[in-house]
Amino acid sequence: MANPPLLSLGHGVSFCRFSRTNLRVEVGGSPEATRRAFNKRFLLDLAEDWQQHGREVFKRVRRESPATYLKVCAMLVPREMKVENSGGVKAMTDEQIEEAIAAIKAMLAAQAGETAKVIEGEAEVVPSLPAPARPTKAS
């Protein structure tokens, strides 16, 4: 009988045991447990490899294949971001609203102090112009 594959997440295979030297797959348990065990081992190995070679590999890929480097960066950004409204201002107490207003005012004051340029002056009264003359009919 041929040796079965090391890991198959298909029917019947649902339990894994890991050691530093080998992976042993047994029948029994749940597919979720197998998936968690496999993911855990994969991430541990990946972290170990990153500790040994990660920075150097990133530098080399960035120099030699910038498109691949950017693709990896883009893959790390989530495709969707779920934003939930948790009640907003209606769920806040009066004290929380006052604190939020004070924080916003402080932030605006800090930004205004950094970026705003103040020009002092007075409005000048300008006399109004006369109405334009009406065109006459040419004969």
Side-chain angles (χ1 to χ4, degrees):
M1 178 168 146
N3 289 337
L6 257 183
L7 177 63
S8 169
L9 294 178
H11 299 290
V13 177
S14 56
F15 182 77
C16 294
R17 288 194 183 161
F18 294 100
S19 71
R20 284 274 180 219
T21 56
N22 67 357
L23 168 69
R24 194 169 122 217
V25 179
E26 298 177 7
V27 176
S30 70
E32 292 78 20
T34 299
R35 198 170 296 113
R36 281 192 306 271
F38 178 79
N39 289 344
K40 179 180 179 181
R41 180 75 252 157
F42 176 81
L43 292 174
L44 289 171
D45 289 345
L46 184 63
E48 183 181 324
D49 191 54
W50 172 260
Q51 288 294 327
Q52 294 175 6
H53 311 287
R55 294 190 85 134
E56 294 81 23
V57 170
F58 263 30
K59 289 176 185 177
R60 190 178 75 227
V61 171
R62 187 181 65 239
R63 280 191 314 270
E64 296 175 9
S65 181
T68 302
Y69 180 79
L70 289 175
K71 183 177 180 181
V72 169
C73 292
M75 288 171 46
L76 294 173
V77 176
R79 290 177 189 238
E80 294 180 14
M81 189 168 116
K82 187 175 182 179
V83 178
E84 293 182 8
N85 184 352
S86 61
V89 176
K90 291 181 180 179
M92 296 172 74
T93 64
D94 289 344
E95 185 178 289
Q96 290 173 324
I97 293 172
E98 289 171 2
E99 289 173 3
I101 291 171
I104 292 169
K105 284 181 179 179
M107 186 173 52
L108 290 174
Q111 285 180 349
E114 295 172 4
T115 59
K117 305 263 190 279
V118 178
I119 300 174
E120 293 185 21
E122 293 181 15
E124 194 175 313
V125 179
V126 179
S128 61
L129 298 173
R134 291 189 174 191
T136 58
K137 289 187 178 180
S139 340

